[in-house]
Each structure stands twice: as C-alpha cells, then as structure tokens.
Amino acid sequence: MAPTSTSRSAFAPAPATSSDYDRLSELNAFDATKAGVKGLVDAGITAVPRIFHHPVPAVEPDELSSARRPQHGAAGSRVPVIDLTTSRSVLVAEVKAAAETAGFFQVMNHGVPDELLTKMLTSIRRFHEEPAEAKRPYYTRDQERRVRYQSNFDLYKSPAANWRDTLFMLMSPAPPEEEVPPACRGIVSEYTQQVRKLGSTLLELLSEALGLDRGYLEHDTGCLDGIAVGGHYYPPCPEPRLTMGTTRHSDPSFITVLLQDGVGGLQVLIDGEWVDVAPVPGELVVNIGDFLQLVSNDRFKSVEHRVLAMAAGPRVSVACLFRKQDGGRVYHPIVNAADDERPRYRSVTVQEYLGYYMDKGLDGRSKLEHFRL
C-alpha cells in the first residue's frame, strides 16, 4: 500500500540547520515502504524529503536551477542524428565522428517498429503505476535477482537519492520470462530482440570506425549476449530545484540504446555545457559506454549525462545496456594506431568494473579514472 499520513511525516524535510537529522534512518524508512518515489507522490507529498536533496556545492550551481524546463532549441542539434539507411561509407564516418566527440547520437530508420516502441513505453509506465502491493514482490536489493524493482540502486551509497524508480530486467542470454511482471511480459522480450539486432548493426559500424573487421566488437566482446534493461519512471517532482532525476554519470556498458517518451529532461555534457537530448518520436538515443571507451583506448568517448527532475511528468524511459554478463571476461585497450603507442587503461574484468561502479554509485565522478594507467 502507499505510505500513510504517518509515514509521510517521517519523510518531511528537516530544517537546514537541524542537528538531529538521521539520514540512515530516513533511508531505511523510505526503503521499507517498497513503494519508491511513486509511493511518496501517491501519498500526496508536497515537499522533497531531505534524502533527495542534492547539496551545494557538491553539484554545479546550474544543476539546481529553478527553471527545470528543457529547451529543445538549437542546442539540441549538437547531438547528431544518424539515418541508418544512408550509404555504408557515410554511416561509418558519421558514427565515428559522433563516437569521438559527442559520445551520443540519435538514430532514425533503425528497424524497430514504432508500434513496438509505444508498447514498450506503455508497459513500463503501466507497471510503475500499478498499486504498491502489486509491485512490492518485485522490490529487492538482491543483485542476483534477474528481475528487480527498486528506487535508486545506490540508495545507501550516493550522496543524495534521485527522484526515480526502476524496473531492472536482465534479458539475455536467457530471458527470465516467468519472472517479468505481467505488465511487461512478452513485450519486453520482443523489444529486446529487436534492439539486439540494432545493437549488432551499431557494433559493426563502430568496429569499422575503429579500423577493425566489421564483426570484431560483436564477437570479441560478447556484449550482445548480455543485455540489461532498465525501465525508468520519474514521477512529477514538487520541488525540482532541490533534486535530480538522475545524477551525472556515464554508463557501465559498451553501448546503451535508450527509448524515451516526449517529456524530456535528458542532458549530455558536451564541451563543458549541458545539452538537451530532445525526444523525437520514432528515434532512439545511442551512447558510448565506459567499456567501449576503455577498449577503444579513449578514441571513443563515454560522455557524462543526467536527467533533470521536473514538475512535468511522469517521464518514462527504457535503457538497454549492452555488456557481457560473464563476470570473468577480461577487457583491455586495443592499440592499433600510430598515436596509440601505449594503453591508457589497465586490463579489467567485467566483475571488477561493475563491482567498483556499484560500490561507488552515482557520485558524479567517472569510474574509468580508477582504471587509468
């Protein structure tokens, strides 16, 4: 059930000068509801609880600006849009340029049916908007569970919680169909299969962009055998200037394919400036992940991005992270060009990298630097 009026008062923000603020107790109380941020909103909360406050100066001043309405103007054009029906040579050149600079690009004519995109977003929203008691059996912090619902995977480690709930599903190599909530069952498997085909195409283009054989990244990394799906739900926020939807971070993946609805709020850091990634119907967002920056020896950029908390919403998005699920797989930089005379990162296993990433949480710092030589 949703938090009662009694639990609502337990989450009331403490005064800034309060000396009796017990953050751990408030985190435990929030987590114990198993209702997430959506539960707070359903309970009629009108102020952002202190556990969600992003302190200053721990973040840039503009991150807590009062005007949390993304502007989809000219700045959005700095995130390239690539038509996948373009000729091969042009495609490779465009993907190479995007991967080396923005680290983000949007793709059109990608082969995933528009109807399926709509169904996928609808299914994720349907799950998150079910009564709390229907979602509660899926709520867990057990990282071994292939399907888990939670609010903030790093709730107890990050400096401040984010205004976001997530349904996480590890969909390959073997889809956990019976574990997937009924609201998403069948649809998420179909969507993942379609995005896997797109991922294969993207990895071919990225391989060629690195001067490698077309199938190098797909077959050498094995990341198509491990696709993690995050169905994110960002409820409307009563005080968006105090918190974030998602703190600045880069992804622990080779590539991430993101489907977002029309609400907006996603921003990418380009040349020191936060740039809106404007939602465009029918297009998918692709970004380079940490593993690909490491393997490419810094030629491709895993760029930091964030999601603003907003009064509008809810915002729904679906992120497909391509990464090998074999924790013992070792990755190392590819040194194959004259200007790459030395590796810039040490070799690392998937288990080691993800362990470090999960331990640190979304703390606003790049995890790649820990592995740099």
Side-chain angles (χ1 to χ4, degrees):
M1 65 181 67
T4 64
S5 57
T6 300
S7 62
R8 189 188 320 160
S9 63
F11 295 116
T17 58
S18 174
S19 60
D20 58 356
Y21 171 55
D22 187 344
R23 178 174 176 78
L24 180 58
S25 293
E26 293 200 15
L27 289 171
N28 286 335
F30 169 70
D31 205 32
T33 68
K34 298 185 178 182
V37 177
K38 180 64 162 58
L40 297 178
V41 174
D42 288 346
I45 199 165
T46 58
V48 171
R50 190 165 174 177
I51 60 173
F52 294 93
H53 288 197
H54 284 244
V56 178
V59 294
E60 297 96 329
D62 69 282
E63 286 196 64
L64 299 180
S65 65
S66 58
R68 302 305 273 276
R69 294 182 61 85
Q71 302 299 312
H72 307 311
S77 64
R78 293 173 60 183
V79 177
V81 177
I82 298 177
D83 184 346
L84 292 182
T85 60
T86 307
S87 67
R88 189 76 181 189
S89 60
V90 172
L91 267 181
V92 171
E94 290 182 342
V95 168
K96 181 175 185 291
E100 290 178 344
T101 55
F104 265 70
F105 54 96
Q106 300 199 72
V107 291
M108 57 186 297
N109 295 321
H110 42 67
V112 184
D114 287 350
E115 182 181 6
L116 184 56
L117 301 180
T118 300
K119 286 182 177 179
M120 188 63 207
L121 287 172
T122 300
S123 71
I124 294 298
R125 179 166 182 166
R126 182 164 56 235
F127 168 79
H128 283 285
E129 294 184 348
E130 287 181 339
E133 56 268 22
K135 296 180 291 184
R136 191 168 287 120
Y138 300 97
Y139 195 95
T140 180
R141 297 203 176 275
D142 181 359
Q143 297 297 318
E144 299 302 315
R145 289 266 296 269
R146 290 170 57 84
V147 175
R148 51 189 185 267
Y149 161 59
Q150 59 189 208
S151 184
N152 290 260
F153 76 90
D154 56 349
L155 182 68
Y156 291 93
K157 297 175 181 178
S158 63
N162 287 315
W163 201 257
R164 181 195 71 241
D165 299 328
T166 299
L167 175 63
F168 176 91
M169 296 167 283
L170 186 57
M171 295 303 297
S172 66
E177 196 63 43
E178 295 306 312
E179 301 174 43
V180 174
C184 307
R185 194 171 298 163
I187 297 174
V188 67
S189 293
E190 182 182 358
Y191 178 75
T192 303
Q193 291 172 7
Q194 291 290 329
V195 173
R196 189 180 189 278
K197 295 177 184 178
L198 172 60
S200 178
T201 298
L202 294 169
L203 289 172
E204 287 183 356
L205 293 168
L206 289 162
S207 293
E208 292 184 57
L210 286 171
L212 305 170
D213 291 338
R214 179 178 294 189
Y216 184 90
L217 287 176
E218 176 178 343
H219 300 302
D220 188 68
T221 67
C223 64
L224 281 186
D225 296 328
I227 302 178
V229 178
H232 302 303
Y233 185 91
Y234 302 83
C237 183
E239 297 178 297
R241 62 176 296 275
L242 295 179
T243 188
M244 293 292 295
T246 302
T247 310
R248 60 185 294 174
H249 68 287
S250 55
D251 289 349
S253 64
F254 273 89
I255 58 173
T256 299
V257 176
L258 178 75
L259 167 63
Q260 58 176 340
D261 65 10
V263 174
L266 174 63
Q267 295 185 326
V268 56
L269 189 62
I270 300 178
D271 296 330
E273 179 184 352
W274 288 109
V275 175
D276 294 323
V277 183
V280 179
E283 292 187 3
L284 292 167
V285 179
V286 180
N287 66 276
I288 305 302
D290 291 350
F291 285 118
L292 189 48
Q293 178 167 330
L294 184 149
V295 166
S296 70
N297 210 29
D298 280 345
R299 293 174 66 187
F300 292 166
K301 309 301 181 186
S302 179
V303 177
E304 292 184 321
H305 49 288
R306 68 185 188 183
V307 178
L308 302 178
M310 296 185 294
R315 178 184 191 270
V316 178
S317 67
V318 182
C320 290
L321 287 81
F322 288 77
R323 64 190 183 210
K324 182 69 174 177
Q325 299 305 320
D326 176 6
R329 185 66 174 266
V330 179
Y331 293 110
H332 55 82
I334 301 168
V335 180
N336 69 337
D339 60 348
D340 282 336
E341 64 275 4
R342 64 174 183 84
R344 300 179 184 180
Y345 300 93
R346 65 177 176 86
S347 297
V348 61
T349 64
V350 175
Q351 182 178 27
E352 182 182 10
Y353 194 89
L354 289 180
Y356 181 76
Y357 193 101
M358 298 296 286
D359 183 61
K360 293 298 182 181
L362 302 185
D363 59 1
R365 299 178 179 86
S366 171
K367 308 304 180 287
L368 276 172
E369 294 307 308
H370 179 73
F371 301 94
R372 188 180 292 277
L373 293 173

